[in-house]
Amino acid sequence: MFKLLGGVLIIGAGTLLGFLQASHYAKRPQQIRGLIGALGRMETEISYGLTPLPEAFASLGKQVAEPLATLFRLSSERLLANYELSMNEVWRSAVKEVWARTSMKRPEQEVVLSLGTILGQSDRSDQMKHLRLAISQLQAEEAESREEQRRYEKMWKSLGVLVGALIVILMY
């Protein structure tokens, strides 16, 4: 009886780990799409609304889903609280703090970090140009992440079940 229960628990744990890993492949394209939408909204705020960055970040923090909402909220709060820090320093610290909670990878992080060097440092037209460039780079990463999702999501789900079953077979 205990062997059967142990076997079921091991297979269940393997399955859970496989599904957990597969969920990262499913979340990545969604989060990239959310980031693309947020940058599009930021472009609108800067170009048409002439909104200062702390206010634009606060607005975006209310509009986008977590964990990206935390990124924009932290940036807004830190810009308002620390006048001695540059926009780039605030942006970098917020990105580094929030990025571990996302399913996005290093290429998306590099795009977002490079955007921080431009925001608040140049005129409106230059910022809009860099926002569009970041959006196009993220769109390419989104297409690649969808391909990875298609390729690896089912594999991880199956692999979790199979590894759990293999461990049970090897133990008994």
Side-chain angles (χ1 to χ4, degrees):
M1 181 67 174
F2 286 117
K3 281 186 173 185
L4 180 63
L5 181 62
V8 169
L9 287 175
I10 290 172
I11 291 174
T15 302
L16 182 64
L17 288 174
F19 274 74
L20 197 64
Q21 186 65 32
S23 74
H24 285 292
Y25 285 101
K27 287 179 187 175
R28 185 175 173 221
Q30 294 171 348
Q31 289 178 352
I32 295 172
R33 262 191 310 270
L35 186 56
I36 290 169
L39 294 181
R41 288 185 192 113
M42 185 187 304
E43 181 182 359
T44 304
E45 292 274 347
I46 291 172
S47 65
Y48 299 113
L50 302 174
T51 309
L53 281 176
E55 292 175 25
F57 286 156
S59 174
L60 287 170
K62 295 174 186 171
Q63 296 175 13
V64 297
E66 288 294 340
L68 295 175
T70 303
L71 171 68
F72 291 111
R73 231 182 358 263
L74 279 176
S75 298
S76 173
E77 292 167 2
R78 290 177 182 171
L79 278 175
L80 292 172
N82 296 318
Y83 293 108
E84 64 273 354
L85 293 178
S86 71
M87 169 58 208
N88 188 29
E89 292 169 332
V90 167
W91 185 251
R92 281 190 174 281
S93 70
V95 168
K96 289 187 188 285
E97 187 174 324
V98 171
W99 207 261
R101 290 183 262 165
T102 70
S103 294
M104 292 185 274
K105 294 185 178 178
R106 185 81 183 148
E108 294 91 18
Q109 184 180 23
E110 289 173 2
V111 170
V112 172
L113 287 174
S114 70
L115 189 60
T117 60
I118 300 301
L119 291 175
Q121 304 297 323
S122 59
D123 65 343
R124 186 171 20 133
S125 63
D126 193 41
Q127 289 182 45
M128 290 179 49
K129 180 176 67 172
H130 281 87
L131 281 167
R132 287 187 201 117
L133 175 63
I135 288 171
S136 67
Q137 289 171 337
L138 288 171
Q139 286 171 335
E141 291 298 328
E142 180 191 6
E144 183 181 317
S145 71
R146 275 196 224 139
E147 178 62 28
E148 282 184 11
Q149 178 188 8
R150 186 190 63 75
R151 193 176 318 146
Y152 297 121
E153 187 177 21
K154 287 181 185 177
M155 179 195 74
W156 275 103
K157 288 177 181 177
S158 302
L159 193 61
V161 174
L162 293 174
V163 167
L166 178 65
I167 291 171
V168 168
I169 291 170
L170 290 175
M171 286 179 64
Y172 298 112

